[in-house]
Amino acid sequence: MTKVTYKSDIEIAQEASIEKISTICEQLQLEEEDWEPYGKYKAKLSLSLFDKLRTKKDGKVILVTSINPTPAGEGKSTVTVGLGQALNAIGEKAIVALREPSLGPSMGLKGGAAGGGYSQVIPMEDINLHFTGDIHAITTANNALAAFIDNHIHRGNELKIDPRKIVWKRVLDMNDRALRQVVVGLGGPLQGVPREDGFDITVASEVMAIFCLASDMNDLKRRLAAMVIGYTYDHEPVTVADLKVEGALTLLLKDALAPNLVQTLENTPAIIHGGPFANIAHGCNSIIATKLAAKLGDYVVTEAGFGADLGAEKFLNIKARYAQIKPSAVVIVATARALKMHGGAKKDELASENLVALKAGMANLQKHIETIQAFGLPLVVAVNHFVNDHEEEIDYILSWCQEQGVKAERAEVWLKGGAGGEALARTVLAITESEENHFAPLYTLDQSLEEKITIIAQKVYGASRVDFSPKALVQLKEFEHNGWGTLPVCMAKSQYSLSDDPTKLGRPTDFTITVRELKASVGAGFIVALTGNVMTMPGLPKHPAALQMDVTEDGKAKGLF
Ligand code: ADP
């Protein structure tokens, strides 16, 4: 038997018939003043489009989420791109809205995040590397603030900032565990005031979160001004407004705030803007990108990171609330391999047929379906089909969904592009029309922080209780006292499990979520609750994806996938 080989993502992307970005802009009926080219294949869209399109009815928002993934990812970006292409293929006007990939996972485990197979956004090398420089601008704004803080203390510390109580960290868009805890200002009086500091990955920073939640330039500035950088010796919060640098920080971000337009392999317009992680941040592309895509198209297909316990929960409780978005439907991506892993199959045996493990693993999908139903939203399960998947397994997943009264479709968008997602596209259209939509966030803002965290832990994760560490209990009181109790919460939790223990797969029951620490992201407008051992600066694996990467003499990228 001859073995079929498939082209790699980068090979497919490099062979694509890419249109000039001016052609995509024409397709969107944009005029010259509405966009600015960044080379031949990328553009920044003008924020003035919001004003221009004020009276146009918003398109429908379709949210793509998934079950708890394997470390390789279950194909949310791939299905998001494929569904966008499929909607266009059947005659609808759809736009894809995605996050910009972080260099941390690109160099580390995942090797890129621009979709896969015949459902990718291009130029994928640019998107996976420096793109239009937005993440660098965010890193710079974040670190400029760190420099202003240390300079303020060095120059006499008029605000009486306690160097031991600074909560602002420096950032880098790379997995670099050696920088998690550092000491700065060593070397004597001319080098500043020594203090303990640390680095987070840029995509976990509050500046990234604000960038993604801001509605316009003024809102960006207002949110940056409200960021709490530390506390005085009397334990009063110190903000960016106290340091008077919100103008400078906004200036550093002004070009980045314009969303980036690219295209998919089938020339469907795609807006890629902002990229917070979904485990340690809120996990959604910018509100500006989603809302502009809704103005420019009749459908926006957008993704929220990791499983529905993380990205979708935060999309629905945080982003949708701030942006006043009512999603029209949710697509839950599931794969046979991840379901088998949840049912007890070993990670190196996921390719083998194993109906016993698959059946046991369905409980994980079941929980995510219940979560989306708890938000009152119509949903469809997309079974992301891998070429070596076993037919009986796919059939089992589809018939299991049917028995539960849940719509499900096979998605072959990786192999066939939009053509492999037409059935999914038709079902999505049907449920946005025919099914009831009672969308509401799971908690109200007047509930206490403790109540909000407990609601998420119980209703979304299925936990029986929440334990707060002594430090978190003190912080809960302080934050309520500071008037931050009415903010939503952004949970930081392992992506691999519904619990805060990555080894508990499937649908764990009778478990406790441990909140070890809280962080006030007052500018972003949420309180981060750190659970289990989740880290805000990841490390690289033993064999990082970077080992496969290279570039030819004429500048062609190799090894990105
Ligand atoms: P997620 O967004 O859920 O993290 P991605 O869409 O980025 O997942 O996909 C992760 C990786 O898996 C990519 O390299 C992609 O090419 C690959 N992939 C996704 N779907 C399929 C599929 N059906 N067959 C083969 N590879 C796939």
Side-chain angles (χ1 to χ4, degrees):
M1 206 169 78
T2 48
K3 192 166 177 274
V4 188
T5 51
Y6 295 93
K7 288 182 180 161
S8 68
D9 289 353
I10 194 163
E11 281 169 334
I12 295 170
Q14 286 173 345
E15 288 169 10
S17 58
I18 189 166
E19 295 282 6
K20 285 202 190 118
I21 202 64
S22 51
T23 309
I24 305 294
C25 289
E26 273 165 33
Q27 192 182 317
L28 291 171
Q29 292 166 332
L30 298 180
E31 293 172 295
E32 211 181 318
E33 69 272 15
D34 299 333
W35 60 284
E36 193 184 346
Y38 268 55
K40 270 196 244 169
Y41 304 115
K42 297 167 279 181
K44 285 249 170 212
L45 298 175
S46 170
L47 293 177
S48 62
L49 274 166
F50 280 110
D51 210 29
K52 197 166 164 179
L53 300 171
R54 195 170 62 244
T55 54
K56 185 192 165 277
K57 194 170 165 262
D58 286 343
K60 291 182 175 171
V61 175
I62 316 296
L63 174 65
V64 179
T65 181
S66 81
I67 58 172
N68 292 95
T70 65
E74 295 329 296
K76 267 187 321 297
S77 309
T78 307
V79 170
T80 304
V81 174
L83 177 57
Q85 294 183 150
L87 283 165
N88 279 312
I90 62 171
E92 302 295 336
K93 202 173 156 199
I95 299 184
V96 170
L98 287 174
R99 287 173 298 161
E100 176 177 353
S102 158
L103 280 173
S106 297
M107 293 285 149
L109 204 57
K110 284 198 68 184
Y118 290 89
S119 293
Q120 296 184 54
V121 274
I122 47 175
M124 73 88 98
E125 301 90 324
D126 295 25
I127 295 166
N128 277 314
L129 294 170
H130 307 283
F131 200 25
T132 56
D134 296 350
I135 294 190
H136 297 310
I138 291 168
T139 303
T140 303
N142 182 99
N143 293 346
L145 176 55
F148 299 144
I149 296 167
D150 281 315
N151 186 53
H152 181 91
I153 297 171
H154 177 69
R155 300 282 176 190
N157 199 1
E158 203 183 316
L159 291 170
K160 301 198 170 29
I161 301 169
D162 185 340
R164 299 160 308 178
K165 293 189 204 144
I166 292 173
V167 292
W168 194 254
K169 285 192 183 174
R170 289 173 158 86
V171 298
L172 190 72
D173 188 38
M174 190 49 62
N175 292 3
D176 194 348
R177 64 166 61 74
L179 289 176
R180 280 178 190 150
Q181 291 173 38
V182 299
V183 179
V184 294
L186 296 180
L190 289 181
Q191 324 303 338
V193 176
R195 65 178 184 88
E196 278 188 53
D197 197 359
F199 279 72
D200 284 338
I201 188 159
T202 303
V203 286
S205 69
E206 186 173 357
V207 177
M208 174 59 93
I210 288 179
F211 184 84
C212 289
L213 291 169
S215 51
D216 55 27
M217 198 72 77
N218 281 338
D219 188 39
L220 176 73
K221 195 189 293 183
R222 183 187 65 75
R223 286 172 182 270
L224 290 169
M227 293 194 298
V228 172
I229 59 95
Y231 297 85
T232 64
Y233 287 103
D234 299 326
H235 212 69
E236 291 299 322
V238 180
T239 65
V240 168
D242 296 326
L243 287 162
K244 302 188 176 62
V245 292
E246 66 272 24
L249 301 187
T250 312
L251 183 62
L252 286 168
L253 294 170
K254 79 174 174 56
D255 294 334
L257 197 64
N260 308 295
L261 178 71
V262 288
Q263 64 192 287
T264 73
L265 290 172
E266 294 176 12
N267 318 115
T268 292
I271 301 184
I272 302 189
H273 198 226
F277 279 170
N279 51 353
I280 47 182
H282 78 281
C284 309
N285 64 257
S286 74
I287 285 179
I288 287 179
T290 308
K291 290 207 129 180
L292 193 54
K295 281 287 175 210
L296 293 170
D298 295 334
Y299 293 90
V300 187
V301 189
T302 190
E303 160 250 30
F306 295 126
D309 52 330
L310 289 170
E313 180 272 308
K314 296 169 196 182
F315 185 103
L316 300 170
N317 279 325
I318 300 174
K319 176 174 172 173
R321 191 189 310 256
Y322 279 125
Q324 297 186 332
I325 292 172
K326 180 178 178 182
S328 295
V330 176
V331 177
I332 305 179
V333 177
T335 60
R337 62 179 190 171
L339 290 168
K340 284 186 278 185
M341 179 188 75
H342 285 295
K346 294 205 183 84
K347 285 214 178 89
D348 52 0
E349 291 172 5
L350 297 180
S352 315
E353 185 168 348
N354 186 344
L355 270 170
V356 175
L358 180 70
K359 285 180 186 174
M362 296 307 290
N364 187 268
L365 173 59
Q366 170 103 53
K367 179 70 197 87
H368 294 294
I369 291 172
E370 289 170 16
T371 297
I372 299 305
Q373 287 170 338
F375 279 101
L377 286 166
L379 71 95
V380 51
V381 172
V383 185
N384 179 17
H385 187 261
F386 281 62
V387 284
N388 294 323
D389 274 350
H390 305 277
E391 272 308 305
E392 292 91 303
E393 292 184 346
I394 303 293
D395 288 346
Y396 178 78
I397 302 170
L398 293 171
S399 55
W400 179 92
C401 288
Q402 204 180 10
E403 274 164 31
Q404 311 283 317
V406 171
K407 299 228 163 31
E409 295 291 348
R410 180 196 301 247
E412 292 181 291
V413 294
W414 183 87
L415 186 64
K416 300 180 182 166
E422 290 187 11
L424 176 64
R426 288 185 205 286
T427 301
V428 165
L429 292 180
I431 61 173
T432 62
E433 292 299 328
S434 63
E435 288 195 13
E436 288 182 24
N437 185 330
H438 303 289
F439 171 60
L442 289 185
Y443 54 79
T444 56
L445 294 182
D446 57 3
Q447 290 180 288
S448 70
L449 293 172
E450 195 174 340
E451 281 172 318
K452 289 170 194 159
I453 293 169
T454 307
I455 286 172
I456 296 170
Q458 292 183 337
K459 288 201 181 157
V460 178
Y461 309 160
S464 32
R465 66 204 148 262
V466 182
D467 262 2
F468 292 88
S469 72
K471 180 175 181 172
L473 283 174
V474 172
Q475 288 178 313
L476 277 178
K477 276 211 186 100
E478 274 178 17
F479 289 4
E480 300 271 358
H481 169 82
N482 290 341
W484 305 331
T486 53
L487 294 176
V489 288
C490 177
M491 302 296 287
K493 183 183 78 67
S494 166
Q495 64 270 33
Y496 297 122
S497 171
L498 281 158
S499 77
D500 58 8
D501 173 355
T503 64
K504 287 195 176 121
L505 301 181
R507 182 179 186 167
T509 50
D510 194 25
F511 63 92
T512 302
I513 290 287
T514 306
V515 176
R516 64 167 209 272
E517 192 178 342
L518 300 172
K519 197 178 150 287
S521 294
V522 182
F526 54 63
I527 301 296
V528 182
L530 292 141
T531 70
N533 296 322
V534 72
M535 300 266 183
T536 46
M537 171 54 99
L540 287 169
K542 188 160 182 191
H543 300 288
L547 297 179
Q548 301 169 36
M549 294 178 189
D550 202 356
V551 57
T552 61
E553 205 177 336
D554 56 353
K556 204 165 155 192
K558 287 165 72 178
L560 284 168
F561 58 92

